[in-house]
Amino acid sequence: MAKLTEIGWKEFEALPLEAKRPYLERPGGEGMPYHTLFAQQFDRPLLERLAALANRIRFISKSREGALFLKSFLPHKRAMLYFTQPSSRTFLSHLAACQILGLTTGSVRDTAISSEFKGESKEDSIRTFSSYFDMIIMRTPEKGLAEKMAWELSNSDRPVPILNAGSGKDQHPTQALLDIYTLLRSFETKGGLRNRTVTFCGDLLRGRTVRSLSYLLTNFENIRQMFVAPKELQVPEDVLAILREKNVSYDVSNDLREAVSTSDAVYMTRIQDEWDSAKGESAKIDTSRFKFGAEELALLKPDGIIMHPLPRRDEIATCCDHDPRAMYWRQMRNGMWIRSALIATTFGLENEILNCGY
Ligand code: NCD
C-alpha cells in the first residue's frame, strides 16, 4: 500500500483525488481512511460499511449499558477540534460523536485568542495540537489545508489522523457521509438508493456540500442529478466533468418547481455570501425562485424527501418543517452517528463494535 511518507508534498498535491486515496488509508484497514480529506476516498462498499456501523452505534447507544459500553472504547484518546470558520452543528456533531466513543476533546475556534494571533503559522499550530491529541478534526476557510496538514503530520514523529470538517469552498466529506446515510435510511424500505433523481438547489457554485455529495452519489446506480440555481450561482464545471466521466445523467436548470415534481430528494442550500468578492454581491442576484415553500411541498412525491445541510435562511419555509418528508432535522442527528462510525473506524474499531454482541 502507498504511504504518505513516501511521496513529496508537491507530487502528492498534484495527483488526481482518486489517486490520493491509497495514501490516506489506515494500514490494515481494508481501504478505510486514516485521514478523511475528500469525498473521493469513499466507494460504495466503504459507504455501506460505515452506514452499517452507524446503525449499530445508534442501536447500542439506546440503552444506558450500551451507551456506557460505547464510551469504553476510546477514553484513552483525545481529539482536537480546530474550527476557525463559523460552525454550530458540524462542531457539536463531531463533539458529540467523540463523546459517544468516550474520547475527550479540546478546541480552538478563534485564532484571535490562539498563538496564530502572535504570528504562529497554521502548520505550527496544528503540529502543536498533534503533541497533545490523537486526532485533529478541522474546519478552515483555506482550500487544501487539511490535505497539507495530513501530509505534514504523516511525515512527522507523531502522525495523527486529520478529519476534514469543511475546507474552503471545495470539500465537506463528513457532511456528504451524513447526507448519503440519510438518503440510504430514507429509501431503505422503498426500493433503496438507486434509480432516483436528486435535485440540488441554491448556491451550487460555492456550496462545498454539493460538490462532496454530488461525487458520492456517483457510487449508486442510476442516480440522476439536477442542478437548479440562478445562472450566477450554477454548479461549477469540475462537478459536471466528473458526472460526464462517470456517465451519470444530469440536468442544469432554473426551474425548481419542475425539478421538485420529478425528484426523489431535493437538497436545498443557502446563499454562501461570505464568499462574495464585493460586499453585497450576492444580494443583487434574484434568488426568489430558488426557495422551497408550501407550493413546492405540494408538488413533492409522497415518498420524496427535502434535505438541507443547514443552517438555513429563508430557502425552506418553516411551514415545511413538520411534514414527514422534511428530513433536515434527522439529517443532523444522522451526522452524529455516521461521524462516530467514521471516528471508530479511524481508530480501527469497526469489527469490534459490529461483532460486540449487543
Ligand atoms: C454547511 C457548510 O459549512 O458548508 N454547513 C454544515 O456544515 N452543515 C453549509 C452551509 O454553511 O451553508
Side-chain angles (χ1 to χ4, degrees):
M1 195 187 56
K3 287 202 186 112
L4 204 45
T5 46
E6 286 165 4
I7 183 167
W9 166 244
K10 286 285 163 215
E11 202 189 332
F12 176 69
E13 190 187 19
L15 289 175
L17 290 189
E18 284 186 65
K20 291 179 180 172
R21 180 179 161 174
Y23 291 97
L24 305 172
E25 286 171 7
R26 202 183 78 226
E30 297 164 23
M32 282 296 193
Y34 176 72
H35 298 295
T36 294
L37 305 179
F38 33 79
Q40 281 79 348
Q41 286 177 253
F42 297 90
D43 59 15
R44 174 121 179 225
L46 289 196
L47 292 170
E48 283 172 352
R49 270 162 66 197
L50 277 176
L53 184 59
N55 282 343
R56 196 94 194 94
I57 292 175
R58 189 160 53 90
F59 176 78
I60 297 172
S61 72
K62 284 187 197 300
S63 70
R64 184 175 188 275
E65 296 72 35
L68 290 174
F69 170 72
L70 285 171
K71 273 185 176 296
S72 71
F73 278 98
L74 291 170
H76 57 304
K77 297 286 182 191
R78 293 179 292 275
M80 171 71 195
L81 291 108
Y82 176 72
F83 274 58
T84 58
Q85 228 191 346
S87 177
S88 305
R89 73 218 84 234
T90 306
F91 178 83
L92 292 173
S93 156
H94 279 103
L95 183 73
C98 287
Q99 289 168 341
I100 287 171
L101 297 166
L103 281 133
T104 39
T105 57
S107 66
V108 165
R109 301 205 61 181
D110 182 357
T111 52
I113 53 165
S114 81
S115 280
E116 279 184 50
F117 187 72
K118 301 182 194 166
E120 182 169 57
S121 68
K122 290 192 186 332
E123 284 80 354
D124 284 5
S125 284
I126 292 167
R127 275 296 280 273
T128 306
F129 308 150
S130 76
S131 306
Y132 307 130
F133 293 92
D134 304 290
M135 162 178 261
I136 297 172
I137 304 170
M138 60 187 278
R139 159 173 291 198
T140 59
E142 292 90 352
K143 178 178 162 66
L145 184 66
E147 215 176 295
K148 180 79 194 301
M149 289 306 125
W151 183 86
E152 289 256 3
L153 290 180
S154 281
N155 283 287
S156 76
D157 296 341
R158 225 191 101 71
V160 302
I162 296 267
L163 231 140
N164 177 4
S167 57
K169 287 177 264 184
D170 56 325
Q171 285 269 352
H172 197 345
T174 67
Q175 177 71 41
L177 290 178
L178 76 90
D179 293 337
I180 285 289
Y181 184 45
T182 300
L183 285 159
L184 286 169
R185 291 192 66 200
S186 301
F187 297 122
E188 197 172 12
T189 56
K190 296 170 185 162
L193 183 52
R194 65 173 71 88
N195 308 327
R196 303 279 175 188
T197 296
V198 177
T199 288
F200 294 93
C201 177
D203 189 342
L204 310 184
L205 178 66
R206 303 173 292 186
R208 54 195 172 191
T209 66
V210 174
R211 175 176 284 99
S212 291
L213 179 57
S214 168
Y215 181 85
L216 278 198
L217 284 170
T218 66
N219 287 295
F220 295 84
E221 287 149 58
N222 195 21
I223 305 290
R224 182 164 162 260
Q225 301 190 24
M226 298 259 277
F227 300 96
V228 180
K231 64 177 185 321
E232 300 88 335
L233 301 174
Q234 251 310 349
V235 68
E237 181 48 34
D238 66 298
V239 175
L240 299 181
I242 292 179
L243 299 183
R244 284 194 295 273
E245 184 192 306
K246 298 201 169 277
N247 278 326
V248 171
S249 98
Y250 70 82
D251 252 312
V252 173
S253 131
N254 60 7
D255 189 342
L256 178 60
R257 293 209 180 144
E258 217 248 3
V260 168
S261 60
T262 59
S263 292
D264 299 287
V266 181
Y267 191 96
M268 297 299 297
T269 64
R270 93 185 147 85
I271 304 303
Q272 314 267 317
D273 47 18
E274 66 270 37
W275 297 108
D276 281 0
S277 41
K279 204 170 163 17
E281 190 181 49
S282 299
K284 295 191 190 119
I285 301 170
D286 179 8
T287 54
S288 55
R289 287 182 301 119
F290 305 94
K291 298 184 199 293
F292 196 105
E295 282 159 47
E296 287 70 23
L297 191 62
L299 296 171
L300 187 65
K301 292 180 185 177
D303 279 350
I305 61 169
I306 318 161
M307 298 172 72
H308 195 308
L310 300 176
R312 79 167 149 191
R313 288 175 181 168
D314 61 351
E315 58 280 351
I316 300 180
T318 51
C319 67
C320 303
D321 289 2
H322 296 291
D323 192 280
R325 294 166 293 177
M327 217 42 79
Y328 28 98
W329 309 123
R330 248 188 271 173
Q331 207 178 328
M332 249 194 305
R333 192 154 168 88
N334 285 340
M336 179 177 78
W337 303 123
I338 199 86
R339 285 171 172 140
S340 53
L342 179 66
I343 293 168
T345 295
T346 306
F347 286 103
L349 295 170
E350 69 266 30
N351 291 333
E352 233 177 297
I353 296 179
L354 283 171
N355 303 324
C356 70
Y358 256 95

